[in-house]
């Protein structure tokens, strides 16, 4: 199957509609493993079948597991015939994403499968003082002068870019770049958060966002050195067993401080802020959106910091794999338990439930850095209009072009000012959109709901939909949960 192809479109009451898209990227190889079902979507209790095809015959070995750090669920050998291939069967009795790895004559191929993906939820409860912890951290930041320092970096007839530094807690600085579109504004703003790394260029100017999108475009580092320099202490100090000493506290507050700066600009429109990122940047984007109500647009690909408790529950857990780190570096049960508790303050699932704006996300079924289940946990907590793209045959990197290009459509869909950028040849596409209709109130026991799914403003009646209750008291039943 080649994308884009609709995978599944649930809709949620309270009241939102969610669009999920499936993309596949296939390449020619001697050994291939795929699910027998084209969309790789199964439900708990179903038999999941993986089909092996190969240009050669032999005995292949295989393993099925949730991620590379979780126990093997099933392993064995299967005979592969060059003419008919071979099949692996596994029945999954609980929600999750499976990763099947096959080795035949030294060649390795993988395939992923989703099992009741919409039922994947946090494995443990959030801390009771989650909000007070982050409110306290933001109050600490608010007591630090912002003291913005800008210097000219580059410019064109469409945009001007500056390097920037801002005050952060503990005497640290927030470093990065800000690009301003030509014109008088007011402009919306997009904040780009960085992927993992400490080298020069991890954070770079995103001037094309200003030039071709007409938005104030800010990108920041999370390290205590200018973005064009290496921080010798990047990711230190970092005590993963102590919520107050986790390095990512600085990172999340750096993003909040960047939004403080955006709001201080007279050419900002005063209301439209999007946060975006891939990998580490995706995880940070979800965290920032969860604790900063000024964010009203969120886009991410293959996010980190999902389901840290997975390791303790023999399930998938995302980067930075805190519990695996504790096990490998310290080895004591006390440190492991302390890390389990501390990591909950940096788990995207708990941030996601606090954000109710539009979302564009991407997960990949063969991602072993940020396994798809860890991103799906966060997705299942969102309460707004959400588009989630799935890629069957992609790992963690590179992030698919559908995501990179789709971001611009997403921005134009929600920030209409970005439809008229300084760039003289603006795009007009607005991408995928799920619309549950206008908000409604009723005192009766029934309500008529009407929704639609669109691509570039055009409805597609052939795409399947599903209505679900997201939140609120009482129970809800649907006369037809798949009707528009």
């Amino acid at each position: 199957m080649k994308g884009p192809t609709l995978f599944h479109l649930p809709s949620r009451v309270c009241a939102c509609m969610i669009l999920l898209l499936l993309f596949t990227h296939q390449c020619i190889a001697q050994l291939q493993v795929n699910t027998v079902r084209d969309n790789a979507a199964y439900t708990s209790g179903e038999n999941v079948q993986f089909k092996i095809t190969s240009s050669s015959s032999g005995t292949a070995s295989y393993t099925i597991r949730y991620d590379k750090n979780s126990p093997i669920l099933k392993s064995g050998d299967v005979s592969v015939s060059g003419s008919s291939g071979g099949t692996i069967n596994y029945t999954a009795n609980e929600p999750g994403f499976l990763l099947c790895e096959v080795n035949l004559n030294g060649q390795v191929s993988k395939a992923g499968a989703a099992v009741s993906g919409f039922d994947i939820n946090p494995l443990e409860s959030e801390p009771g003082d989650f909000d007070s912890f982050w409110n306290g951290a933001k109050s600490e930041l608010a007591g630090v002068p912002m003291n913005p320092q800008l210097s000219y970096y580059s410019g064109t007839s469409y945009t001007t870019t500056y390097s920037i530094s801002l005050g952060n807690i503990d005497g640290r600085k927030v470093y990065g770049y800000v690009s301003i579109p030509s014109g008088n504004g007011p402009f919306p703003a997009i904040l780009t958060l960085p992927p993992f790394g400490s080298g020069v260029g991890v954070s770079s100017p995103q001037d094309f966002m200003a030039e071709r999108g007409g938005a104030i475009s800010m990108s920041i580092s999370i390290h205590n050195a200018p973005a064009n320099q290496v921080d010798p202490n990047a990711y230190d100090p970092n005590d993963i067993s102590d919520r107050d000493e986790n390095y990512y506290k600085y990172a999340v507050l750096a993003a909040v401080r960047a939004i403080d700066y955006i709001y201080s600009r007279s050419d900002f429109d005063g209301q439209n802020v999007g946060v975006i990122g891939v990998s580490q940047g995706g995880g940070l984007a979800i965290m920032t959106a969860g604790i900063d109500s000024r964010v009203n647009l969120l886009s991410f690909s293959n996010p980190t910091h999902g389901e840290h408790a997975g390791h303790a529950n023999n399930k998938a857990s995302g980067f930075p794999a805190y519990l695996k780190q504790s096990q490998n570096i310290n080895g004591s049960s006390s440190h492991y338990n302390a890390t389990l508790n501390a990591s909950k303050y940096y788990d995207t699932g708990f941030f996601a439930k606090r954000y109710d704006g539009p979302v564009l996300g991407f997960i990949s079924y063969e991602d072993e850095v940020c396994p798809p289940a860890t991103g799906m946990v966060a997705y299942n907590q969102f309460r707004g209009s959400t588009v989630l793209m799935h890629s069957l045959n992609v790992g963690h990197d590179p992030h698919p072009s559908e995501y990179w290009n789709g971001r611009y459509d997403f921005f134009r869909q929600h920030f209409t000012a970005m439809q008229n950028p300084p760039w003289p040849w603006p795009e007009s596409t607005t991408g995928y959109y799920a619309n549950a209709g206008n908000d409604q109130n009723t005192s009766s026991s029934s309500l008529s709901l009407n929704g639609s799914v669109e691509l570039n403003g055009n409805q597609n009646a052939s795409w399947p939909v599903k209505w679900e209750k997201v939140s609120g008291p009482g129970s809800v039943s649907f006369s037809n949960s798949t009707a528009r």
Side-chain angles (χ1 to χ4, degrees):
M1 177 179 285
K2 297 183 179 179
T5 302
L6 189 66
F7 171 45
H8 187 56
L9 179 65
S11 174
R12 299 181 175 185
V13 177
C14 183
C16 64
M17 221 173 183
I18 301 169
L19 174 65
L20 285 92
L21 302 172
L22 176 85
F23 293 94
T24 64
H25 299 261
Q26 298 189 7
C27 56
I28 297 174
Q30 287 184 306
L31 175 67
Q32 286 191 355
V33 183
N34 294 288
T35 53
V36 171
R37 188 170 295 173
D38 285 340
N39 64 9
Y42 297 83
T43 58
S44 297
E46 276 195 296
N47 178 41
V48 180
Q49 288 188 303
F50 295 95
K51 180 70 174 178
I52 306 170
T53 58
S54 176
S55 58
S56 60
S57 300
T59 300
S61 61
Y62 70 88
T63 59
I64 298 175
R65 60 206 311 173
Y66 290 122
D67 77 348
K68 63 183 178 182
N69 293 321
S70 64
I72 293 174
L73 300 170
K74 185 178 181 180
S75 64
D77 296 326
V78 59
S79 178
V80 177
S81 168
S83 59
S84 59
T87 302
I88 300 169
N89 295 283
Y90 181 75
T91 300
N93 293 315
E94 55 186 342
F97 279 79
L98 304 174
L99 184 65
C100 178
E101 181 174 308
V102 175
N103 187 313
L104 175 63
N105 301 327
Q107 285 195 328
V108 176
S109 183
K110 303 173 185 177
V115 178
S116 296
F118 302 113
D119 296 328
I120 302 174
N121 289 301
L123 294 166
E124 301 195 9
S125 300
E126 69 175 46
D129 62 347
F130 184 93
D131 289 319
S132 62
F133 170 74
W134 281 109
N135 287 336
K138 290 190 292 182
S139 294
E140 182 182 1
L141 177 66
V144 177
M146 183 162 53
N147 190 27
Q149 301 292 315
L150 280 73
S151 65
Y152 177 83
Y153 181 82
S154 65
T156 69
S157 58
Y158 306 115
T159 185
T160 304
T161 297
Y162 303 89
S163 58
I164 188 171
S165 70
L166 307 166
N168 201 352
I169 64 171
D170 294 347
R172 295 172 64 91
K173 299 286 187 182
V174 180
Y175 292 97
Y177 303 93
V178 59
S179 298
I180 311 301
S182 61
N184 298 321
F187 306 112
I190 302 293
L191 172 63
T192 301
L193 299 173
F196 184 83
S198 58
V200 173
V202 170
S203 175
S204 59
Q206 303 294 299
D207 51 355
F208 54 88
M209 294 280 190
E211 185 174 88
R212 303 197 182 196
I216 296 169
S217 178
M218 192 168 181
S219 59
I220 62 169
S221 167
I222 62 169
H223 304 308
N224 197 34
N228 62 351
Q229 299 178 22
V230 174
D231 179 2
N233 298 311
Y235 296 104
D236 285 318
N238 183 38
D239 182 351
I240 61 175
S241 68
D242 186 338
R243 67 178 189 178
D244 291 297
E245 300 300 323
N246 189 302
Y247 191 84
Y248 283 98
K249 180 180 179 181
Y250 295 128
V252 175
L253 292 182
V256 173
R257 179 43 46 99
I259 297 172
D260 290 341
Y261 170 72
I262 289 169
Y263 262 78
S264 75
R265 291 191 61 93
S266 61
D267 52 1
F268 171 57
D269 69 13
Q271 60 180 355
N272 292 308
V273 175
V275 289
I276 63 174
V278 299
S279 190
Q280 174 188 268
L284 289 172
I286 296 172
M287 293 188 215
T288 304
I291 66 164
D292 195 322
S293 61
R294 296 172 295 182
V295 176
N296 49 19
L297 203 62
L298 169 63
S299 180
F300 61 83
S301 175
N302 302 65
T304 61
H305 289 80
E307 198 68 284
H308 298 307
H311 187 272
N313 291 273
N314 294 324
K315 296 289 183 64
S317 55
F319 183 90
Y322 285 129
L323 298 182
K324 185 68 174 179
Q325 284 189 51
S326 172
Q327 190 178 66
N328 290 343
I329 297 172
N330 185 280
S332 71
S333 60
S334 60
H335 188 272
Y336 188 93
N337 291 330
T339 300
L340 173 61
N341 291 326
S343 67
K344 293 179 181 179
Y345 294 88
Y346 299 89
D347 196 298
T348 53
F350 302 138
F351 291 88
K353 66 185 290 188
R354 290 164 166 80
Y355 175 73
D356 61 3
V359 177
L360 171 67
F362 205 109
I363 58 173
S364 299
Y365 284 28
E366 294 181 14
D367 190 341
E368 296 188 72
V369 177
C370 303
T374 66
M376 198 73 187
V377 170
Y379 163 78
N380 286 337
Q381 311 312 307
F382 289 127
R383 295 176 291 130
S385 173
T386 306
V387 175
L388 183 66
M389 293 185 281
H390 296 224
S391 181
L392 296 185
N393 307 120
V394 173
H396 185 68
D397 190 61
H399 304 277
S401 60
E402 289 88 353
Y403 169 75
W404 294 114
N405 297 332
R407 295 178 307 162
Y408 294 103
D409 294 336
F410 179 64
F411 300 151
R412 286 189 291 267
Q413 174 73 245
H414 296 282
F415 291 170
T416 56
M418 295 183 69
Q419 296 175 13
N420 297 290
W423 185 252
W425 303 282
E427 299 288 341
S428 60
T429 52
T430 54
Y432 296 96
Y433 184 60
N435 186 354
N438 296 328
D439 291 345
Q440 299 184 58
N441 295 304
T442 183
S443 58
S444 69
S445 61
S446 63
L447 189 68
S448 178
L449 300 173
N450 295 285
S452 66
V453 290
E454 305 169 1
L455 175 58
N456 296 325
N458 299 312
Q459 294 190 28
N460 188 320
S462 66
W463 288 341
V465 302
K466 181 181 179 182
W467 292 92
E468 295 177 354
K469 175 186 173 181
V470 173
S471 62
S475 60
V476 174
S477 62
F478 300 91
S479 60
N480 184 349
S481 64
T482 61
R484 283 178 168 77

